[in-house]
Structure formats: structure tokens, C-alpha cells
Amino acid sequence: EVRLVESGGGLIQPGGSLRLSCAASGFAVSSHYMSWVRQSPGKGLEWVSVVFDGGSRFYADSVKGRFIISRDSSKNTLHLQMDSLRPEDTAVYYCSRDLWLWGQGTLVTVSS
Amino acid sequence: DVVVTQSPLSLSVTLGQPASISCRSGQSLVSSTGDTYLTWLQQRPGQSPRRLIYKVSNRDSGVPDRFSGSGSDTDFTLRISRVEAEDVGVYYCIQQTHWPWTFGQGTRVDIK
């Protein structure tokens, strides 16, 4: 069965850092394009970042220079390193394979 | 960034009746390869998103055939031929032709 499970969310102060993880099962993360998409409370979906099977990475302007997407093929896991966090980064963060398979999401709250 | 505009933002439909959601982009979504990367997602209440349609009109496996996608260039439509209770939720289009990828605002569908 193919599955994605996110972890790493939590409450963090503005300016802090957090690393999200997305454990994949049933397929190889290195063989698909893998994305992070977030959803602020009560709001719509916002694309955050993607890494392609070839390794190319792209970011939304709102997170460029602060977030880094990566994957660990040995652990079949996708990561999102989030630095210099801001209150507006508060959201449920979803990882997705091909925008077809989605995890359950992990909540990040940036607040003092 | 490519602005993607959905309409209407809210739709109340009688069970068994059709529904139609428009998605318009500020630029042509035809890529240099000739493909058009317009995707439709469904998000039921309390759930993660689910992909329904990719590249304008390709229905994902397991998606009921009452869902169909059409359109070209800058103008796209998601149609539900006969709305069922399980179709309640928010529908999003996302363009994946231009960087950064951008979502529409979402269209909320409920039952009249």
C-alpha cells in the first residue's frame, strides 16, 4: 500500500526553525516529484516547494531563502527544513507525491 | 506569478443535479512541450486533498466518471454531471505550467 506520513510539526517561536519529515511507503520518493503544500487555518491551499526525480527543486516566493526541501533515499523520506519562521507560516503542511497521493498533514504554529 | 481565478467561490447544488466550476489563468497554461498542466483537487471536510483530474481532462483511477475536466489555454472547467452527497467539499485547480505553481482560491460545494 502506498502511504505518506508527515511528522515534525509543533509550536515554534517567530524566528525559530523546524524540520518536517514525510515518511513514504510502497514507493520510492526518488522516483516521483514530491511536493509540500500548506493550508493556513480556514484558508485555501498554497504550494510551497517541490523536488523532482531528477533533483531539481523549486520554491514559492514566500519561502524562498528560508525553506529547503530535501529527500533521504536511504530512509525513503522527504524533508522540509524551515528557518526564520514567521507567524504567517502557521499552517497544516501536507506532503504529496505527484499531487496524487497525500499525507494527513502536520500542523505548524508560529507564535510567541 | 500566474494568477488563477476560480468561480463561483461557493456553489449550492440539489442532489442529482449538475455542477460546474470555472478556473481561469492569467496566462496560457500550454507548456513548451505542448502539454497543459492544469490539475483539479477535491478536499472533503476534515480530509487531505485528493487529485481528481490532471492535465486538464485526465481522470484519476477511482474517480467517479461523473467528474470531468475540459478547457484549453486559459479557460478550464470541472463538471460534476450529477452531484452526490459525498461530493461536498472544496474544489481547487492548480496550474503547474509556470513557476511558481499557483492554486485557485477554491470553490466550496454543498447540498441545497
Side-chain angles (χ1 to χ4, degrees), chain A residues 63-76:
Chain A
V63 307
K64 201 175 294 182
R66 300 188 300 124
F67 290 10
I68 296 176
I69 191 171
S70 63
R71 60 189 181 199
D72 183 338
S73 296
S74 66
K75 296 181 179 176
N76 209 27

Side-chain angles (χ1 to χ4, degrees), chain A residues 1-5 22-35 51 53 71-78 95-103:
Chain A
E1 181 197 5
V2 293
R3 194 178 176 204
L4 294 169
V5 179
C22 172
S25 53
F27 70 97
V29 294
S30 58
S31 298
H32 297 268
Y33 76 83
M34 301 294 299
S35 301
V51 57
D53 49 353
R71 60 189 181 199
D72 183 338
S73 296
S74 66
K75 296 181 179 176
N76 209 27
T77 299
L78 179 73
C95 69
S96 172
R97 185 199 104 175
D98 304 327
L99 295 190
W100 169 73
L101 177 68
W102 294 72

Side-chain angles (χ1 to χ4, degrees), chain B residues 5-98:
Chain B
T5 304
Q6 288 184 231
S7 62
L9 297 183
S10 182
L11 198 50
S12 192
V13 187
T14 301
L15 286 172
Q17 292 301 300
S20 182
I21 300 170
S22 169
C23 176
R24 290 194 166 97
S25 63
Q27 296 179 30
S28 172
L29 298 186
V30 179
S31 73
S32 57
T33 65
D35 286 318
T36 301
Y37 295 99
L38 189 285
T39 296
W40 289 97
L41 305 173
Q42 174 195 59
Q43 188 175 32
R44 291 170 170 154
Q47 294 188 14
S48 300
R50 167 199 187 195
R51 195 177 74 179
L52 300 175
I53 303 282
Y54 61 96
K55 287 200 281 186
V56 182
S57 60
N58 294 274
R59 191 184 312 115
D60 274 290
S61 175
V63 174
D65 61 8
R66 64 179 181 275
F67 289 94
S68 64
S70 64
S72 63
D73 200 26
T74 63
D75 197 353
F76 306 92
T77 302
L78 176 71
R79 289 187 175 88
I80 311 173
S81 59
R82 296 172 306 278
V83 170
E84 298 190 5
E86 65 178 17
D87 300 335
V88 166
V90 182
Y91 293 79
Y92 297 91
C93 59
I94 175 174
Q95 68 81 19
Q96 297 175 267
T97 296
H98 303 285

